[in-house]
Amino acid sequence: MKKEFRSGCPISSALDVVGDKWSLLIIRDMLVKHKKTFKEISNSDEKIAPSILSARLKLLESYKLIFKTKVPDNKKENIYLLTEKGIRLTPIIIEFSLWGNSNMQEFNKIDDIEGLNSDKTQIIQAVQDSYNSMLLNFR
């Protein structure tokens, strides 16, 4: 599923992977809301179509931002988990949240995110720690 990048620019390359309408929202749901199954991820507020979700999960997996595995006690069900590379997107997710909270209020009713006014580094660390704690159950 890998494709050619538009250029050697690191910003352009990153946008080729996570710059579409859905990828960061999928990662947000996995990282912050601990969604793991196709069904859980597809039930986001943004209403991603199953075909688009499937394509994005394959893309994210091909760039090693997520990996697919089985539920330990249910070998039939696939779950998707973030890799370390995916977890390292936390600062970007937090920055988008902060920017949206500060700059989009006049255009859209923005959900109030508890603790968003805390120190950024503490928020990032708390989100990463929470995800890594959840991840211990699947490794």
Side-chain angles (χ1 to χ4, degrees), residues 19-63:
D20 63 272
K21 184 176 178 178
W22 297 107
S23 293
L24 284 179
L25 294 174
I26 293 167
I27 292 168
R28 173 210 61 193
D29 283 354
M30 294 175 73
L31 184 64
V32 176
K33 300 177 182 180
H34 297 183
K35 293 185 177 188
K36 297 172 283 305
T37 65
F38 189 93
K39 184 176 181 177
E40 288 173 339
I41 299 166
S42 69
N43 286 336
S44 70
D45 293 339
E46 292 81 14
K47 309 282 188 246
I48 186 169
S51 59
I52 294 171
L53 176 57
S54 180
R56 290 311 180 280
L57 290 171
K58 287 176 185 170
L59 177 74
L60 295 171
E61 190 175 15
S62 74
Y63 286 108

Side-chain angles (χ1 to χ4, degrees), residues 37-100:
T37 65
F38 189 93
K39 184 176 181 177
E40 288 173 339
I41 299 166
S42 69
N43 286 336
S44 70
D45 293 339
E46 292 81 14
K47 309 282 188 246
I48 186 169
S51 59
I52 294 171
L53 176 57
S54 180
R56 290 311 180 280
L57 290 171
K58 287 176 185 170
L59 177 74
L60 295 171
E61 190 175 15
S62 74
Y63 286 108
K64 298 182 170 84
L65 296 174
I66 67 171
F67 66 98
K68 180 170 59 172
T69 189
K70 300 286 184 183
V71 175
D73 44 341
N74 178 358
K75 297 298 180 191
K76 290 182 180 180
E77 187 170 21
N78 289 321
I79 58 171
Y80 298 90
L81 299 170
L82 293 165
T83 63
E84 186 57 36
K85 191 187 293 190
I87 295 168
R88 285 196 304 260
L89 285 166
T90 305
I92 293 168
I93 301 288
I94 298 304
E95 284 295 341
F96 264 103
S97 297
L98 292 168
W99 186 88

